[in-house]
Amino acid sequence: NDACLGTEKRDRCLPIVKQLNSKMKQSIVQIFIFFYFCEISRVFAFAVTQSTAPNTREQVPLPSAELVSLLQNKENIRNDRGKIDCAIEDLINMRVVFDPLECLNGPFYASVYQQGPPPLWEKFSFLKSNMKGQKYTITGKEACDKDVLNYSEIFGKDFYLCASGTFERSTSSTDDEEPEALPVQNEKKGIFNVLTTLFQNSSSKVSDKGSTQSLVCPVDYTVSVSSGSVHFFGNVINLNIQGTGYLRTLYADPDLRIFTSPKDTTNTKWEAEGLRIVQVRSDLIDPSFQLP
């Protein structure tokens, strides 16, 4: 009798156990589905946040930001040369890594500050508002075509000078050791790690533009001028001029660059040894300025 009662209880309990097992399985499946969709939602929300969030690297100021700010105010240039000179030395001593395609090639850069012997083109400037500077252009396969335009206003855009030519990297303009070249993939290694992270998206832009290496300041270039012209009130006089200049890049980033003349140009009156020029991208000085 006891055996029969045990069998009867088991038979009555078995459907209940099966039902409970089925409900447990459904609950487990529901819990799994819930957490699965929670994870999917979390991943999706993270992706949306990343795509809409501002690029923090782009917000990191360049090392030259303080100097650019000082040079944007002409009162500082006249009255605070000591502070400007110290900022220039600090940038030069950093010996930064720069990409010529990013820091030389492109827009017009205005020459806004000088140290050393005054150049001839500065003596021709009769208005404080005159713009002068250079535009370097790097094109062609493997960036082999390098052109430069020198622009200097005498009486604004009504009377100005232009000189055109080419430039090439040089190792013979001085007796100094050749500047070191760093492959792009090694830009963020070693002692230059902190410096290179200050550049806005430098690694990606180098890759996008096809550059194979960046350079460490100082870097020397030879500039060959092949033609010139004088423009006044709509008239143009072409000049048959030729000459060679020597340019050393002491600092360069997308906003500002510092050049010096390691030795005299072929015409020593134009630029003499020891001249140091600070150039700032023209739109940071005068957003409305455009080359004629």
Side-chain angles (χ1 to χ4, degrees), residues 134-171:
Q134 293 175 309
K135 176 179 172 64
Y136 289 86
T137 305
I138 303 175
T139 57
K141 187 177 181 180
E142 298 181 355
C144 60
D145 298 327
K146 301 178 179 68
D147 300 311
V148 59
L149 171 67
N150 296 275
Y151 174 84
S152 181
E153 293 180 350
I154 299 175
F155 283 104
K157 290 185 178 180
D158 292 326
F159 192 1
Y160 61 91
L161 304 173
C162 285
S164 301
T166 60
F167 69 101
E168 292 289 342
R169 188 180 172 200
S170 171
T171 57

Side-chain angles (χ1 to χ4, degrees), residues 24-281:
M24 288 180 64
K25 290 179 180 179
Q26 291 178 1
S27 298
I28 291 173
V29 171
Q30 289 174 351
I31 292 173
F32 174 78
I33 293 174
F34 173 77
F35 281 107
Y36 175 79
F37 279 103
C38 285
E39 182 66 16
I40 291 294
S41 300
R42 187 186 70 82
V43 172
F44 178 76
F46 176 78
V48 171
T49 301
Q50 291 298 306
S51 64
T52 57
N55 191 326
T56 55
R57 291 188 64 188
E58 292 184 352
Q59 295 178 343
V60 176
L62 294 170
S64 64
E66 179 183 1
L67 181 55
V68 169
S69 178
L70 287 171
L71 295 175
Q72 286 174 321
N73 188 335
K74 292 184 179 181
E75 290 296 325
N76 291 331
I77 297 177
R78 287 192 292 267
N79 303 325
D80 208 356
R81 293 186 66 93
K83 188 174 183 180
I84 293 174
D85 291 341
C86 288
I88 291 172
E89 293 302 324
D90 289 342
L91 292 178
I92 293 173
N93 291 335
M94 291 175 69
R95 290 178 54 87
V96 297
V97 178
F98 77 98
D99 174 23
L101 287 175
E102 175 72 14
C103 304
L104 295 185
N105 178 53
F108 179 77
Y109 281 69
S111 299
V112 294
Y113 193 80
Q114 303 163 24
Q115 295 172 322
L120 182 61
W121 47 263
E122 177 65 20
K123 297 176 182 179
F124 288 151
S125 181
F126 296 110
L127 297 178
K128 293 181 178 180
S129 60
N130 279 344
M131 187 74 77
K132 53 263 188 189
Q134 293 175 309
K135 176 179 172 64
Y136 289 86
T137 305
I138 303 175
T139 57
K141 187 177 181 180
E142 298 181 355
C144 60
D145 298 327
K146 301 178 179 68
D147 300 311
V148 59
L149 171 67
N150 296 275
Y151 174 84
S152 181
E153 293 180 350
I154 299 175
F155 283 104
K157 290 185 178 180
D158 292 326
F159 192 1
Y160 61 91
L161 304 173
C162 285
S164 301
T166 60
F167 69 101
E168 292 289 342
R169 188 180 172 200
S170 171
T171 57
S172 60
S173 59
T174 69
D175 295 327
D176 294 341
E177 182 180 349
E178 179 181 357
E180 178 185 1
L182 292 183
V184 168
Q185 59 267 27
N186 292 333
E187 276 189 33
K188 295 187 178 180
K189 295 182 179 180
I191 193 172
F192 298 103
N193 181 32
V194 176
L195 299 180
T196 53
T197 56
L198 295 176
F199 287 83
Q200 297 178 355
N201 294 331
S202 59
S203 298
S204 60
K205 289 184 179 180
V206 165
S207 301
D208 292 343
K209 295 185 178 182
S211 178
T212 57
Q213 65 179 8
S214 290
L215 304 174
V216 181
C217 290
V219 179
D220 287 357
Y221 292 92
T222 300
V223 180
S224 301
V225 175
S226 56
S227 65
S229 56
V230 179
H231 302 250
F232 60 101
F233 300 99
N235 300 293
V236 180
I237 298 177
N238 293 317
L239 305 175
N240 184 18
I241 60 173
Q242 294 183 345
T244 302
Y246 305 99
L247 179 75
R248 177 171 294 169
T249 305
L250 301 176
Y251 177 88
D253 71 26
D255 289 350
L256 177 145
R257 53 206 190 192
I258 304 171
F259 297 143
T260 190
S261 299
K263 62 180 183 178
D264 294 341
T265 60
T266 51
N267 182 347
T268 56
K269 294 181 180 179
W270 189 252
E271 287 184 357
E273 178 182 353
L275 171 65
R276 185 182 287 178
I277 298 292
V278 180
Q279 295 184 344
V280 177
R281 209 175 67 237

